Structures are given as C-alpha cells and as structure tokens.
C-alpha cells in the first residue's frame, strides 16, 4: 500500500541523469526482507508469519555530465514494524556520499566539513562514527575499493529518542544542498577531454556494480512485492562502461582517485 513520487531529469545541460524519489509505503514484509533484517540483529516476532511495516523516505542520485563534477547520492528514511504482541519497533537510516571521477581535495574537504557541522550540532561522536560506517558500507568487495570518497551513513538508529533522532536526520538532510551545490557550480563549466569522459564512464560502471550487488535499499525494493522497478533503479546512471582489464597509468590522476578509494582519508583534520 501507499506510494510515492519519482522525478527524473535526463540529458540536462549540467546533469546527465538526476532523480528524486519520495515514498511512503506500508504492507507486510516479505520473508526474504525479514530475513535480511534479522541478519542485522533485529529481533522480529511475526504473527502467523506476517510482519506489518511502514516505511518512508526521500532519496536522490545525481550523475553530472562533466567528469569534474562528482556524482552525489543521499537518502534519509524511517522504518516501523508492528510485532505479534502489538509493540512497534522503529528506526531511522540514511546518509549522504560523494563519488568523484577525479580527486579534488578542496571539494572533498568542503563536502565532509559541511556534513561534520550538521552532525556536530547533535553529538561530536556522530561524524567520525558515521563517516567510518559510510566508508565500510560503500565498499565494493570484489574490487577492493569504495564506491566514492564517502560522507556519512547510518542505519537502525533508534536512540536516544524518536524526536532527537528525527532532529538529527533533518539536520543531515538540510546539509545536502550546501555540501554539494557549491561543488557543482565550481566545476560544471570546466573543460574536459574524451579520455576524461571515458574514465567517468568506467567509474560509473563501478557505481552500477555496487548498487546492483550490495546496496541494501535496492535489494529491499526488489524484494518488495508490487514495488515500482523504475523508481528502485533510478540510481543507475544513464551511461556507463566496462572495459576488459583496464588499468590507469601509474601516477596519473586516474590512479590518484583509485588510491583514495582503496585507502579512505580523514578529510576534516
């Protein structure tokens, strides 16, 4: 039950593909989805094998045309489950992360500092904790590298109180525009070569690999009966490329970003 709105821009002047999903859904958890949640340590007591749930969230993925403008993703969500005895479990999750084709340290510092400021308003321990969680979550195991240079990520957050967590999530969501839009404006008119565009396409291939193989939200959507596949796969880029045995030259700008993706950096200290 429920539904949502998907808005997608394709072939824009600045954004090759950019989408926003807003969803408010409810129903019964599929056995596979419930199994996934239990694997994360959730103790869920079903009634006659059924677990009513409601979920709501906003998510966006932006893939720019210019390889010097990074891809950005954010998602913030709330989940609630009613157990057999009528008690309700709830939690918030989400995050904001950046996936550049080429490393620009000034952009990386700006992005992470803006997210840190949003977290610090609530607890100084949150940014380092959720920054590491982001680096760990967006890890492409079969490649040995992260999807991007991270940001913040958290899930299953259900303390100290619903209102306090909600206020924190709102601060994170309000940080999305100031952490990203200045980077877009700084680079959207940069010149680029066909070789740089090719590298962007190869990096987008990695983005696709992560989203289809590992991303929890994509998996949950695909396992939910009656879900809208176009909205779930909105995060995929318009174009991507896979070349056999492609390796960038040593000491190149392409090799530089790979080093950071294999060994995450502390950008704010």
């Amino acid at each position: 039950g429920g539904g949502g709105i998907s808005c997608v821009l394709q072939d824009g002047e600045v954004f090759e593909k950019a989408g926003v999903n807003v969803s408010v859904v409810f129903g019964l958890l599929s056995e596979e989805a419930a199994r996934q949640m239990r694997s994360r340590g959730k103790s869920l007591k079903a009634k006659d094998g059924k677990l009513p749930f409601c979920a709501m969230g906003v998510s966006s993925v932006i893939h720019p045309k210019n390889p010097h403008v990074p891809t950005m993703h954010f998602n913030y969500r709330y989940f609630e489950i009613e157990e057999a005895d009528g008690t309700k479990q709830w939690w918030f999750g989400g995050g904001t992360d950046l996936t550049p084709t080429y490393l620009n340290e000034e952009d990386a510092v700006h992005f992470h500092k803006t997210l840190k400021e949003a977290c610090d308003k609530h607890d100084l321990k949150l940014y380092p904790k959720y920054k590491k969680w982001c680096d760990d979550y967006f890890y492409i195991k079969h490649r040995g590298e992260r999807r991007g240079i991270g940001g913040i990520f958290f899930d299953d957050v259900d303390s100290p109180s619903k209102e306090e967590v909600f206020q924190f999530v709102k601060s994170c969501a309000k940080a999305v525009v100031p952490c990203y839009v200045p980077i877009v404006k700084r680079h959207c008119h940069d010149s680029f070569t066909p070789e740089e565009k090719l590298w962007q396409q190869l990096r987008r291939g990695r983005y696709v690999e992560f989203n289809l193989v590992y991303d929890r939200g994509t998996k949950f959507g695909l396992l939910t009966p009656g879900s809208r596949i176009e909205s779930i796969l909105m995060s995929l880029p318009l174009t991507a490329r896979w070349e056999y045995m492609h390796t960038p030259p040593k000491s190149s700008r392409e090799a530089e970003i790979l080093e950071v993706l294999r060994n995450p950096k502390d950008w704010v200290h």
Side-chain angles (χ1 to χ4, degrees):
I5 298 172
S6 292
C7 293
V8 176
L9 166 72
Q10 284 186 178
D11 285 320
E13 285 186 28
V14 175
F15 300 136
E16 190 171 286
K17 185 178 174 192
V20 182
N21 286 336
V22 177
S23 61
V24 181
V25 296
F26 58 89
L28 298 173
L29 271 192
S30 68
E31 284 184 27
E32 179 60 30
R35 200 176 301 126
Q36 271 197 26
M37 288 181 180
R38 289 191 177 104
S39 74
R40 281 162 32 208
K42 291 287 177 191
S43 173
L44 305 173
K45 302 180 205 69
K47 184 178 182 180
D48 303 324
K50 294 177 180 176
L51 272 169
F53 80 93
C54 70
M56 55 205 72
V58 56
S59 63
S60 177
V61 179
I62 295 173
H63 295 290
K65 270 192 171 176
N66 193 313
H68 299 295
V69 182
T71 285
M72 191 274 293
H73 154 261
F74 79 88
N75 165 245
Y76 292 101
R77 58 192 178 273
Y78 172 77
F79 211 94
E80 192 174 275
I81 285 179
E82 187 176 332
E83 296 190 277
D85 60 3
T87 59
K88 291 183 178 178
Q89 284 201 49
W90 59 267
W91 60 88
F92 288 88
T96 305
D97 65 282
L98 199 70
T99 306
T101 301
Y102 289 96
L103 182 63
N104 180 300
E105 295 224 1
E106 186 184 345
D107 294 343
V109 169
H110 167 80
F111 186 81
H112 277 269
K113 274 194 168 177
T114 307
L115 293 178
K116 181 179 184 296
E117 286 166 10
C119 293
D120 286 355
K121 291 176 189 172
H122 301 269
D123 189 332
L124 295 179
K125 296 174 188 167
L126 295 180
Y127 170 77
K129 178 182 178 182
Y130 294 157
K131 191 266 186 195
K132 182 181 184 306
W133 198 337
C134 188
D135 289 335
D136 293 343
Y137 178 76
F138 291 105
Y139 183 58
I140 308 171
K141 293 174 193 168
H142 60 272
R143 297 287 189 181
E145 61 192 45
R146 276 80 192 161
R147 189 177 78 177
I149 60 162
I152 56 172
F153 179 84
F154 55 90
D155 209 352
D156 303 333
V157 177
D158 56 7
S159 64
S161 70
K162 190 183 287 189
E163 186 54 38
E164 284 175 275
V165 183
F166 184 40
Q167 291 303 322
F168 164 67
V169 169
K170 283 203 284 188
S171 293
C172 294
K174 285 176 182 173
V176 168
V177 169
C179 78
Y180 182 59
V181 171
I183 297 173
V184 176
K185 288 182 175 176
R186 196 178 298 145
H187 299 293
C188 65
H189 299 300
D190 287 3
S191 60
F192 59 89
T193 66
E195 291 75 23
E196 289 170 332
K197 187 67 181 176
L198 168 64
W199 179 243
Q200 181 194 51
Q201 300 299 291
L202 291 166
R203 297 313 310 163
R204 291 224 176 120
R206 298 287 205 268
Y207 204 94
V208 172
E209 287 176 32
F210 177 85
N211 282 30
L212 294 183
V213 177
Y214 301 113
D215 187 70
R216 195 181 291 162
T218 303
K219 283 183 176 179
F220 179 81
L222 295 175
L223 292 169
T224 303
S227 57
R228 187 170 185 267
I229 302 303
E230 286 295 319
S231 296
I232 296 163
L233 299 182
M234 173 213 65
S235 64
L236 300 184
L238 194 60
T239 58
R241 186 178 176 106
W242 287 264
E243 281 191 12
Y244 184 69
M245 299 295 286
H246 183 279
T247 306
K250 285 185 179 178
S251 303
S252 64
R253 290 202 67 208
E254 290 78 11
E256 179 188 34
I257 186 73
L258 280 182
E259 175 60 27
V260 171
L261 299 178
R262 288 166 184 158
N263 302 287
K265 286 182 65 171
D266 177 352
W267 297 102
V268 296
H269 296 104

